[in-house]
Every structure is written in C-alpha cells, then in structure tokens.
Amino acid sequence: MPPRSSSSAPSWCFTTPAATPARRVPSPSISRSTDRGSSSGSPWKPRPTESPTLVGTRFCPPTTGGARTMDETPLEHERRGKVLRLRAAGIEPYPWSWPDRVRSGEVRRRAEALAPGETDPGSPVRVAGRIRAFRTHGRTAFADLEDADGPLQLLLRADDLGEEPYRGWLRDLDPGDIVGAEGHPARSKRGEVSVLVGALTLLTKAIAPPPEKFHGLKDAEERLRRRYLDLIASAESRERFSARSRIVYELRRFLDEAGFLEVETPILTPVAGGASAEPFVTHSRYLDEDLSLRISIELYLKRLLVGGFERVYEIGRCFRNEDADTTHNPEFSLLELYWAYADYNDMRSLVERLYERLGGIVATLLPDRPGAQAAAREFRPPFAQIDFVEALEETMGVRGLLERSPEELARRAREAGAHLPPHASPGRCLDKLFGHYVEPTLRSPTFVMDHPALTTPLAKRHRRLPGRVERFELFYQGVELANAYTELNDPDEQELRFRDQVGESGEDRYAYDADFVEALRHGMPPSTGIGIGIDRAVMALIGAPSIKEVLLFPQTRRRSAPAP
RNA sequence: GGGCCCGUAGCUCAGCCCGGUAGAGCAGGCGGCUCUUAACCGCAAGGUCAGGGGUUCGAAUCCCCUCGGGCCCGCCA
C-alpha cells in the first residue's frame, strides 16, 4: 500500500498532489492537472486546434464524431458532446479502476456520531457509485450518490475542489454518471450524512439518462424489458431480487445441513419425462437427433438413488413450452429432492422445517414487506393437513365421490367451468374439481394428503387406504408450493403406468423412458421425493403477486419493428 | 384461445367522453445562487401522440387492423 498522506497539507485537500493514491496510474481524475503541476493553461479552455466549435458555443459538440446519429435522442447527443469535451480536457470518461473503495454504509457508520456541520478529522475515505440527483447551489453543490449499501450525499464546494474543476467538468456531470469521490465523512448543516469531497473522479459517463429521480420507472413493460433501469430506479426491486438470492442460498444451506448432496443432471435429454408438459425441442448436430429440454429433474435423480446416493437434490432450470402468465414462465427454477429409506411423512416434516426457516429469513430481509411478514407468521409448524377426498366431498356436499362414474365426474367438472376433452380421465376430472372447489380456499399453509390413485400415476399406492397414493401437496394462498410422494419403485408397475399414460392421453407428450425402467429393475430403495417450484416459493415467501416480480428477465416477446 | 384495459418528450403524467395551433413536472441547455436533499428563481428548447389504414374541411381525440404490455378467464400438475 503506497503512502497516501502528504506532510504539507491535509491529505484530502483537492489541490494537494498526494491527494490520490500514488498507484492510481490508469485512473485520471479532475485532480490530474494539479497532480502533474501543469499550471500553464487551464484544461478547461478548449484548444482551438482540437475542437474549434467548443469556443463560443459551449454545448455545440465538435463536428468530428459528434454528428447526431439517427436513433440518438437530443439528450444523448448532448451527453456525447460532454464526452468529447471531457476527453479534450484530458479527462478519461471511462477509466479503469477505483481502488481502496469503501461502501456508503462505512461512511454512514463513521459519520453517525458527528454533529450537524461537523467533519470527521480522521483518514479520508474513497467512495463510488451512481449519481442519482445533483443540486448545484452557486459555489456549493450536492450530489446524491448511490451504491450497494444505499444512498450517500456528496458535498462539493468550489473552495475544496478548486475553481477550475468546479466550474469546469463538474458542469458536465449528469444524473446517471458513475463517480468516485475522496473526502471525509461529514454531516451537512442540516444533518445529512455526507462526504465532504476533496477530489471527484469520473468513473463512467452515462450517455443515456436514468429514469425519473422521484417517480422512477413505472411502465410495467419497460421494467421487464430493461430490468437494469428498474434496478437503478427502485431500491424495492433490488431488495426483492437480493431476497430471492438469499432464499435460494438458505435453501441450499438447509439441505446441506440435512445431509443432502447437490448434483447436476442433464438439461438436454433424449426423452423429456417426469411431468406432463410440452417440451422445447432442439437438434443435436453431433448426434443428429432431436433433444428435448427437460421439463422436470425426477427421472435422473431417481437413477442416482439406484446408484447408491441416498440424499440428493438439484436446483435447476426446467423448461415448458406453454403459456406464460402470473404463475408460469416458460423457463423456471425447480428444486427436486430424493431421499432413500424415508417416506412422505418424513418429507412432510422436512418441508415444515424448511418453510419455517425460510419464513424467518425473509421476515428479517424484508421488514417492510407485509407479504414477507405474513409468511414468517404463517409458516409455523405444524401446518394444517386435510384429506384430498374428504375435503373435496365436504366442499361439494357429495359422498362416495370415488365410486361415481367417469361420466358423472366429467359432467360435474364441466359444470365447475373446466374445459375437458371428450374422454377426459376420471383422475383429470378429480384434479379439476379439487382445483375449483378446494384449492382457492387454502390460504394458510395446508398439506393436502393422500390423493386418489387415479390422479397420480407415479406415486406409490397408499399402505392403508385403498384407491389412494401416498402423496401430499403443500398449498399457501391458494398456490401449490410443493408436491411430494412416496416414490414408486416397482419396475413392472412403472412400466405399466408409462404405457397407460402414453396410450390414454393419445398424445406424444407422455414419453416412455425405457432406460429409466431398466434402472428401476436394478432396485431403487424405498424413497420419498419432492418438487418445489423455486419461483413460486419465492413469490409466496415475499408476497409477490406475479412470477415476473421474482424473475430478473421474464420471457417477453421480441420488440416488433415498425410496420412498413 | 376469449374478454377488458393501457401505449402522448429520455422518465412521470395531463389532454381523448364532447375532433380545431400537443401541455406540465423531472432530466437536459443558458443565466443566478456557499448547506441543499422531489432544492429554488428566470429564460429558451425538446414530440413518428406505438404502427398502419379509414371517416372528416380538419384526428392524439371517432372507427378498423396490426404490434407490444397488463389484468381476468380458459389451457397447461
């Protein structure tokens, strides 16, 4: 670390040569001219040979390279002119680095003890961030800087910075520019935590202006398409996505502590199985075969149970070539977990502890978000449990539902508003009925238990209840948050169910995975498995109304070219 | 796939019902101001009214089509 201080003057004083670190070689700043003592001739007087049009009309950029392009706005044109002027003055608008930086939180801590108008006499700090607002006030100016820790005011005075820089390049500074400032923690006379700046360095010139400083970016479409602007303008948005990252991080920690091993399995697969959904299909030139992007992770993870791994999970992107809406995106993140020698009761208890942990995390992360606070309150074990059939019969006011004819079930489902194909299976009808009558009523966390076997071909039959499988789904606020089974591990039954599915649907969307059946023949231990949609889990935990609020870049249509 | 709503300056929005020179604030320009914080004061500028077509003497405004987005319903474990 090179020496920072000078014996002759306060180290932060703008006009002191040692004001900036000696190693700051590739990072020219406004202190550059004084650094090198080039006192002859101000860099602010444009040299006529280089940019003649700067004389007289300050804001008419030079013609060389300054011509306004077709799709450039007047504002951007103006800012490009500033770039040229800065370069003409020997200031690099896009320097290389800004070492020894502290974040605004550090400054805030040091300035907290100060009285209004007081300056911390200790060592200077170097901060960096984007300028959100700029208030000039004659020979004093205020800039609102923002970095990862939040906002921080810069207090800039001509007396500190020097006449030429203050009247010169500071005027070419705009909201949206990224700057580095060196100076002392201070409080303004009004008490605002600030940095009393001794030297200000342009770190990145923004050509395009940021969103409006007070209202931000509201247009829903623009917020999705240009998420970076949403993030610049909205602390709430930044916190939301940070919270998502933390949720996934805590999820991994929880599972690792529980002894589960994270693995990675193929996304490009010959057969997209494990769920009923339309896959995206692509083509391998190497194999000269069509491959599907996975729609679930299930069948590969179960192969690992056959292979001897006893607790595995994967968190990964899955893809379904279907519509997008407030709860669906064509690509989404799925957690699947498989646990040998355990059953769905063990899994239920794991899920309770998991959501309890995550609820506590979001409550801490997002103290001002009602949805997050509600989640922390609600996800307290034990969660409610209801029996699939009992709950449905009670809500519908019908007895013996499982003994009703397929025709009656289809009729009742259609009466409930479901659009069903002519020969919809009874299982499908029961699913529809449950989705219509019961699911919307499940507001607090509720396990729906022991589905009819008809609705769930891939789970193991119930050990006591005939016609049922060992399965649970977790619902919260009417949305499914988890789906778990005691897994089917009988290879012959698995083969039959694959065949039934393919035959019954009459569609090619159900894929017969012969290789998976072959794996089961070698013996998969009794196991339980679960799938949790990460995006929906995050939505539930933070109270987001749409999946687009928890996806950084949700799928959007290509912007169309103007019609001819 | 069906219904409803939205698209005006870089950003946030008026104007649209009831057709008659397209407005404001922020941001940007010029000038002023040594403690402001949505700073303030003065001046000047900034537009493919999403795109195309139609009605009309005249269309941001009325009608049709297209594009993009949002919400609801449907479809999709």
Side-chain angles (χ1 to χ4, degrees), chain A residues 272-288:
Chain A
S276 162
E278 185 72 27
F280 286 90
V281 179
T282 186
H283 187 79
S284 164
R285 287 199 297 157
Y286 163 60
L287 301 172
D288 191 22

PDB file of all heavy atoms in Angstrom, chain A residues 272-288:
ATOM      1  N   ALA A 272     -38.073 -36.132 -22.591  1.00  0.00           N
ATOM      2  CA  ALA A 272     -38.446 -35.195 -21.533  1.00  0.00           C
ATOM      3  C   ALA A 272     -39.539 -35.845 -20.703  1.00  0.00           C
ATOM      4  O   ALA A 272     -40.681 -35.930 -21.129  1.00  0.00           O
ATOM      5  CB  ALA A 272     -38.926 -33.878 -22.119  1.00  0.00           C
ATOM      6  N   GLY A 273     -39.179 -36.332 -19.525  1.00  0.00           N
ATOM      7  CA  GLY A 273     -40.141 -37.065 -18.710  1.00  0.00           C
ATOM      8  C   GLY A 273     -40.288 -36.487 -17.323  1.00  0.00           C
ATOM      9  O   GLY A 273     -39.750 -35.439 -16.999  1.00  0.00           O
ATOM     10  N   GLY A 274     -41.074 -37.207 -16.521  1.00  0.00           N
ATOM     11  CA  GLY A 274     -41.237 -36.820 -15.130  1.00  0.00           C
ATOM     12  C   GLY A 274     -42.379 -35.865 -14.892  1.00  0.00           C
ATOM     13  O   GLY A 274     -42.681 -35.526 -13.772  1.00  0.00           O
ATOM     14  N   ALA A 275     -42.991 -35.409 -15.961  1.00  0.00           N
ATOM     15  CA  ALA A 275     -44.121 -34.494 -15.823  1.00  0.00           C
ATOM     16  C   ALA A 275     -44.889 -34.513 -17.132  1.00  0.00           C
ATOM     17  O   ALA A 275     -44.449 -35.090 -18.118  1.00  0.00           O
ATOM     18  CB  ALA A 275     -43.663 -33.079 -15.501  1.00  0.00           C
ATOM     19  N   SER A 276     -46.050 -33.910 -17.121  1.00  0.00           N
ATOM     20  CA  SER A 276     -46.829 -33.802 -18.337  1.00  0.00           C
ATOM     21  C   SER A 276     -46.794 -32.362 -18.810  1.00  0.00           C
ATOM     22  O   SER A 276     -47.442 -31.497 -18.242  1.00  0.00           O
ATOM     23  CB  SER A 276     -48.272 -34.218 -18.044  1.00  0.00           C
ATOM     24  OG  SER A 276     -49.113 -33.738 -19.072  1.00  0.00           O
ATOM     25  N   ALA A 277     -45.959 -32.116 -19.802  1.00  0.00           N
ATOM     26  CA  ALA A 277     -45.850 -30.764 -20.323  1.00  0.00           C
ATOM     27  C   ALA A 277     -45.213 -30.814 -21.696  1.00  0.00           C
ATOM     28  O   ALA A 277     -44.523 -31.773 -22.050  1.00  0.00           O
ATOM     29  CB  ALA A 277     -45.007 -29.890 -19.396  1.00  0.00           C
ATOM     30  N   GLU A 278     -45.446 -29.780 -22.468  1.00  0.00           N
ATOM     31  CA  GLU A 278     -44.897 -29.690 -23.812  1.00  0.00           C
ATOM     32  C   GLU A 278     -43.435 -29.250 -23.717  1.00  0.00           C
ATOM     33  O   GLU A 278     -43.146 -28.185 -23.169  1.00  0.00           O
ATOM     34  CB  GLU A 278     -45.701 -28.670 -24.609  1.00  0.00           C
ATOM     35  CG  GLU A 278     -45.328 -28.543 -26.063  1.00  0.00           C
ATOM     36  CD  GLU A 278     -45.778 -29.745 -26.885  1.00  0.00           C
ATOM     37  OE1 GLU A 278     -46.770 -30.386 -26.492  1.00  0.00           O
ATOM     38  OE2 GLU A 278     -45.115 -30.038 -27.896  1.00  0.00           O
ATOM     39  N   PRO A 279     -42.497 -30.055 -24.231  1.00  0.00           N
ATOM     40  CA  PRO A 279     -41.094 -29.641 -24.122  1.00  0.00           C
ATOM     41  C   PRO A 279     -40.659 -28.728 -25.269  1.00  0.00           C
ATOM     42  O   PRO A 279     -41.305 -28.665 -26.324  1.00  0.00           O
ATOM     43  CB  PRO A 279     -40.352 -30.980 -24.193  1.00  0.00           C
ATOM     44  CG  PRO A 279     -41.226 -31.844 -25.036  1.00  0.00           C
ATOM     45  CD  PRO A 279     -42.652 -31.391 -24.806  1.00  0.00           C
ATOM     46  N   PHE A 280     -39.578 -28.010 -25.030  1.00  0.00           N
ATOM     47  CA  PHE A 280     -38.867 -27.346 -26.119  1.00  0.00           C
ATOM     48  C   PHE A 280     -37.984 -28.383 -26.781  1.00  0.00           C
ATOM     49  O   PHE A 280     -37.316 -29.164 -26.099  1.00  0.00           O
ATOM     50  CB  PHE A 280     -37.975 -26.219 -25.592  1.00  0.00           C
ATOM     51  CG  PHE A 280     -38.728 -24.992 -25.170  1.00  0.00           C
ATOM     52  CD1 PHE A 280     -39.176 -24.861 -23.870  1.00  0.00           C
ATOM     53  CD2 PHE A 280     -38.964 -23.963 -26.068  1.00  0.00           C
ATOM     54  CE1 PHE A 280     -39.863 -23.721 -23.462  1.00  0.00           C
ATOM     55  CE2 PHE A 280     -39.646 -22.824 -25.673  1.00  0.00           C
ATOM     56  CZ  PHE A 280     -40.099 -22.697 -24.370  1.00  0.00           C
ATOM     57  N   VAL A 281     -37.977 -28.401 -28.089  1.00  0.00           N
ATOM     58  CA  VAL A 281     -37.191 -29.397 -28.801  1.00  0.00           C
ATOM     59  C   VAL A 281     -36.108 -28.688 -29.597  1.00  0.00           C
ATOM     60  O   VAL A 281     -36.350 -27.644 -30.218  1.00  0.00           O
ATOM     61  CB  VAL A 281     -38.087 -30.228 -29.752  1.00  0.00           C
ATOM     62  CG1 VAL A 281     -37.264 -31.241 -30.513  1.00  0.00           C
ATOM     63  CG2 VAL A 281     -39.178 -30.936 -28.940  1.00  0.00           C
ATOM     64  N   THR A 282     -34.924 -29.263 -29.534  1.00  0.00           N
ATOM     65  CA  THR A 282     -33.828 -28.715 -30.322  1.00  0.00           C
ATOM     66  C   THR A 282     -33.114 -29.868 -31.002  1.00  0.00           C
ATOM     67  O   THR A 282     -33.516 -31.016 -30.866  1.00  0.00           O
ATOM     68  CB  THR A 282     -32.859 -27.912 -29.430  1.00  0.00           C
ATOM     69  OG1 THR A 282     -31.883 -27.291 -30.273  1.00  0.00           O
ATOM     70  CG2 THR A 282     -32.175 -28.811 -28.421  1.00  0.00           C
ATOM     71  N   HIS A 283     -32.090 -29.575 -31.757  1.00  0.00           N
ATOM     72  CA  HIS A 283     -31.451 -30.622 -32.526  1.00  0.00           C
ATOM     73  C   HIS A 283     -29.957 -30.651 -32.258  1.00  0.00           C
ATOM     74  O   HIS A 283     -29.294 -29.614 -32.250  1.00  0.00           O
ATOM     75  CB  HIS A 283     -31.697 -30.405 -34.027  1.00  0.00           C
ATOM     76  CG  HIS A 283     -31.190 -31.548 -34.859  1.00  0.00           C
ATOM     77  ND1 HIS A 283     -31.873 -32.733 -34.992  1.00  0.00           N
ATOM     78  CD2 HIS A 283     -30.055 -31.689 -35.575  1.00  0.00           C
ATOM     79  CE1 HIS A 283     -31.194 -33.567 -35.760  1.00  0.00           C
ATOM     80  NE2 HIS A 283     -30.078 -32.949 -36.119  1.00  0.00           N
ATOM     81  N   SER A 284     -29.457 -31.850 -32.008  1.00  0.00           N
ATOM     82  CA  SER A 284     -28.016 -32.026 -31.814  1.00  0.00           C
ATOM     83  C   SER A 284     -27.380 -32.376 -33.153  1.00  0.00           C
ATOM     84  O   SER A 284     -27.729 -33.375 -33.773  1.00  0.00           O
ATOM     85  CB  SER A 284     -27.759 -33.145 -30.806  1.00  0.00           C
ATOM     86  OG  SER A 284     -26.407 -33.557 -30.884  1.00  0.00           O
ATOM     87  N   ARG A 285     -26.423 -31.560 -33.559  1.00  0.00           N
ATOM     88  CA  ARG A 285     -25.727 -31.884 -34.814  1.00  0.00           C
ATOM     89  C   ARG A 285     -24.807 -33.069 -34.608  1.00  0.00           C
ATOM     90  O   ARG A 285     -24.611 -33.890 -35.497  1.00  0.00           O
ATOM     91  CB  ARG A 285     -24.922 -30.675 -35.290  1.00  0.00           C
ATOM     92  CG  ARG A 285     -25.801 -29.567 -35.852  1.00  0.00           C
ATOM     93  CD  ARG A 285     -24.978 -28.649 -36.709  1.00  0.00           C
ATOM     94  NE  ARG A 285     -23.952 -27.996 -35.917  1.00  0.00           N
ATOM     95  CZ  ARG A 285     -22.830 -27.495 -36.424  1.00  0.00           C
ATOM     96  NH1 ARG A 285     -22.599 -27.576 -37.712  1.00  0.00           N
ATOM     97  NH2 ARG A 285     -21.956 -26.930 -35.642  1.00  0.00           N
ATOM     98  N   TYR A 286     -24.241 -33.163 -33.381  1.00  0.00           N
ATOM     99  CA  TYR A 286     -23.314 -34.245 -33.078  1.00  0.00           C
ATOM    100  C   TYR A 286     -24.027 -35.587 -33.153  1.00  0.00           C
ATOM    101  O   TYR A 286     -23.537 -36.529 -33.773  1.00  0.00           O
ATOM    102  CB  TYR A 286     -22.720 -34.009 -31.690  1.00  0.00           C
ATOM    103  CG  TYR A 286     -22.068 -35.211 -31.073  1.00  0.00           C
ATOM    104  CD1 TYR A 286     -20.982 -35.840 -31.704  1.00  0.00           C
ATOM    105  CD2 TYR A 286     -22.507 -35.716 -29.863  1.00  0.00           C
ATOM    106  CE1 TYR A 286     -20.380 -36.940 -31.122  1.00  0.00           C
ATOM    107  CE2 TYR A 286     -21.902 -36.812 -29.276  1.00  0.00           C
ATOM    108  CZ  TYR A 286     -20.847 -37.427 -29.917  1.00  0.00           C
ATOM    109  OH  TYR A 286     -20.252 -38.512 -29.344  1.00  0.00           O
ATOM    110  N   LEU A 287     -25.208 -35.670 -32.522  1.00  0.00           N
ATOM    111  CA  LEU A 287     -25.931 -36.930 -32.518  1.00  0.00           C
ATOM    112  C   LEU A 287     -26.803 -37.080 -33.752  1.00  0.00           C
ATOM    113  O   LEU A 287     -27.278 -38.179 -34.048  1.00  0.00           O
ATOM    114  CB  LEU A 287     -26.821 -37.015 -31.273  1.00  0.00           C
ATOM    115  CG  LEU A 287     -26.128 -36.930 -29.920  1.00  0.00           C
ATOM    116  CD1 LEU A 287     -27.157 -36.832 -28.798  1.00  0.00           C
ATOM    117  CD2 LEU A 287     -25.236 -38.148 -29.700  1.00  0.00           C
ATOM    118  N   ASP A 288     -27.061 -35.973 -34.426  1.00  0.00           N
ATOM    119  CA  ASP A 288     -28.079 -35.931 -35.473  1.00  0.00           C
ATOM    120  C   ASP A 288     -29.413 -36.466 -34.957  1.00  0.00           C
ATOM    121  O   ASP A 288     -30.046 -37.327 -35.559  1.00  0.00           O
ATOM    122  CB  ASP A 288     -27.630 -36.686 -36.733  1.00  0.00           C
ATOM    123  CG  ASP A 288     -28.578 -36.405 -37.898  1.00  0.00           C
ATOM    124  OD1 ASP A 288     -29.269 -35.351 -37.858  1.00  0.00           O
ATOM    125  OD2 ASP A 288     -28.645 -37.227 -38.832  1.00  0.00           O
TER     126      ASP A 288
END
